[in-house]
Amino acid sequence: MKPIPPVHDHGESRSTEPLSSKPREPPTPSRQSLRGLDWFIFFLADVQTGFGPFIAVYLTTQKWTQVEIGLVLSIGGIVGLIGQMPGGAIIDAAKSERLVAGLAVATIGCVALAYAAMPIFPVVVAAATLHAAASCVLGPAIAAISLGLVGPFAIGERLGRNARFASLGNGVAAAVMGTAGYLLSSRSVFLVTFLLAIPTLIALSRIREEEVDVARSHGAMPRDMSDKADTNIWHLIRQRPLLIFAASVMLLQLANAAMLPLMASVVTTRSSQWATVLIAGCIIVPQAIVALMSPTVGRKAQEWGRRPLLLIGFGALAIRGLLFATVRDPYLLVLVQVFDGITAAVFAVMIPLIVADVAFGSGHFNLAQGIVGTATGIGASLSTVLGGYISDKFGSSTAFIGLAGVAATGLLLVLLVMPETRRKT
């Protein structure tokens, strides 16, 4: 690992000593902090899993109508979309990412308790809003803590490790909560979620505050770079690589978000008896692939560059769409989800990694994450509407082919326009 130039401590007292050209030693975070980050991500994934499809199941058992459930989910989705950039800006302005992350986790724990205690419309709407707002700062906080701990030249492998523990957490939580909901009640899922917030906060406390470099976690300007224009927000937003990458991520989500729901409907019509088991398999297979592949993706991103892996991710998504359109055996569809795992492993690492590349030196790394997060939300929102409309009008096979075409468009965008962002020094 090559040494990293010293960086400004934005928001901190500036040194009056002359700037030195001597590079600072690479960061060497302790094993305690690195393991604390591992387990924080694992338990946080557990906590967030409780707010997936379990909400719809629980509210249905409470005699809510589908219109009311849809309204609550839409409110959460809108808040999550609008809050992406403000969430990143909050992390960039924070003096302690650990404190912001801790407050967000505590908020989500209280939200879970509110769901379990009072499933009435005003409380649930407020809870959904708070959960979405808290989630908007957690993603940037994790990336910022990771960057602050290991620095920009080790961040690829660290992000791969983050994706592995998040995937393991999702899988374990889905099994635990599904079992609790089956054996006890759907309400118990939210009580389990509240309890899981406790080990999440304990793991966060294991990360040593002094080892998370504040300036580095914001992607701050190295002190030996005199172009202060690079720290301007508008300069960052106008950067061509960031805009191209945001567009490619929007195409990714536009192609991807509708695939699994559409496939679930297809499986249900073809094999209703085994539909639940098959869909569970379709969720577990990609999670296993992400857990296995993510650290390798992080290493290869530094060896090969970012663009080859982006092309692999988009290629796997296009192939998945075409196979969904042509494969008829519902059991083989589970195997097709291997390609979903490849795409997920690539982009779980590549999204924060490329944002870190592009925002390097700006001091606005987390705001840049919010910009890409907004593009992600727009693409995902449009995908389900577009996929559902085409499926209703022209059939599911045509919808899958159309989504594969969107993925191919993203591949061409990366191939022809997206520059390589890897930093070698």
Side-chain angles (χ1 to χ4, degrees):
M1 187 186 302
K2 296 184 180 180
I4 303 166
V7 295
H8 281 309
D9 227 3
H10 289 288
E12 305 293 335
S13 58
R14 304 283 181 87
S15 172
T16 58
E17 297 177 6
L19 299 182
S20 170
S21 60
K22 183 179 178 181
R24 193 165 63 181
E25 289 297 315
T28 53
S30 66
R31 182 183 178 88
Q32 174 184 316
S33 292
L34 294 175
R35 294 296 176 267
L37 181 56
D38 288 341
W39 290 108
F40 172 65
I41 292 168
F42 176 86
F43 285 117
L44 181 61
D46 287 2
V47 169
Q48 294 286 55
T49 298
F51 294 92
F54 295 109
I55 289 179
V57 173
Y58 172 58
L59 295 179
T60 300
T61 65
Q62 300 298 311
K63 311 302 181 184
W64 281 50
T65 67
Q66 291 304 309
V67 172
E68 291 172 327
I69 294 172
L71 179 59
V72 167
L73 295 178
S74 296
I75 290 170
I78 292 169
V79 172
L81 181 60
I82 295 173
Q84 291 294 321
M85 286 190 278
I90 287 170
I91 296 299
D92 278 332
K95 296 296 190 296
S96 171
E97 289 78 11
R98 287 172 68 250
L99 176 60
V100 176
L103 291 173
V105 171
T107 299
I108 291 174
C110 293
V111 163
L113 201 58
Y115 272 112
M118 296 183 68
I120 59 176
F121 190 80
V123 173
V124 170
V125 168
T129 302
L130 286 172
H131 173 248
S135 297
C136 287
V137 301
L138 280 171
I142 290 172
I145 291 171
S146 302
L147 186 59
L149 278 176
V150 304
F153 300 107
I155 190 62
E157 191 166 352
R158 178 65 245 182
L159 291 172
R161 190 173 179 89
N162 290 357
R164 166 176 283 180
F165 276 83
S167 180
L168 291 172
N170 284 327
V172 170
V176 170
M177 292 176 182
T179 302
Y182 178 76
L183 295 178
L184 301 173
S185 69
S186 55
R187 186 191 303 270
S188 67
V189 169
F190 296 99
L191 296 175
V192 171
T193 300
F194 170 75
L195 293 174
L196 284 170
I198 298 171
T200 307
L201 292 171
I202 293 173
L204 180 63
S205 70
R206 299 285 294 168
I207 303 172
R208 293 174 177 170
E209 182 78 51
E210 66 273 12
E211 294 181 7
V212 182
D213 187 286
V214 175
R216 190 166 57 226
S217 66
H218 299 165
M221 174 73 74
R223 293 180 66 194
D224 57 357
M225 294 175 64
S226 58
D227 186 4
K228 298 298 187 292
D230 285 346
T231 65
N232 186 280
I233 291 177
W234 299 112
H235 176 85
L236 171 68
I237 293 174
R238 291 195 304 268
Q239 282 205 48
R240 184 169 171 265
L242 179 62
L243 297 176
I244 294 170
F245 184 59
S248 68
V249 170
M250 186 173 70
L251 289 172
L252 170 83
Q253 291 299 327
L254 184 60
N256 181 66
M259 279 197 188
L260 187 57
L262 285 177
M263 194 274 290
S265 299
V266 171
V267 167
T268 303
T269 58
R270 294 178 186 173
S271 180
S272 58
Q273 182 179 358
W274 290 95
T276 304
V277 175
L278 292 172
I279 293 168
C282 288
I283 295 172
I284 292 170
V285 167
Q287 295 291 346
I289 298 295
V290 171
L292 290 171
M293 285 185 56
S294 295
T296 302
V297 170
R299 288 192 294 271
K300 295 302 181 184
Q302 196 58 29
E303 294 175 15
W304 299 350
R306 313 326 190 201
R307 291 178 73 248
L309 290 161
L310 289 177
L311 294 173
I312 290 171
F314 272 111
L317 180 57
I319 292 170
R320 176 175 166 233
L322 293 174
L323 290 175
F324 277 163
T326 54
V327 172
R328 298 298 173 191
D329 188 333
Y331 297 95
L332 289 179
L333 290 174
V334 177
L335 295 179
V336 174
Q337 281 293 88
V338 168
F339 291 97
D340 185 26
I342 294 171
T343 301
V346 167
F347 281 93
V349 177
M350 286 298 104
I351 288 177
L353 181 56
I354 292 176
V355 172
D357 292 341
V358 175
F360 180 81
S362 69
H364 303 293
F365 164 54
N366 300 292
L367 175 62
Q369 286 193 90
I371 293 170
V372 176
T374 301
T376 299
I378 293 172
S381 300
L382 294 176
S383 179
T384 51
V385 175
L386 178 65
Y389 176 80
I390 296 175
S391 181
D392 287 342
K393 292 291 184 180
F394 305 104
S396 59
S397 294
T398 303
F400 286 128
I401 291 172
L403 295 174
V406 174
T409 304
L411 187 148
L412 289 174
L413 180 64
V414 172
L415 180 65
L416 300 177
V417 184
M418 180 73 189
E420 177 57 58
T421 62
R422 174 182 55 167
R423 292 178 177 272
K424 296 182 180 180
T425 58

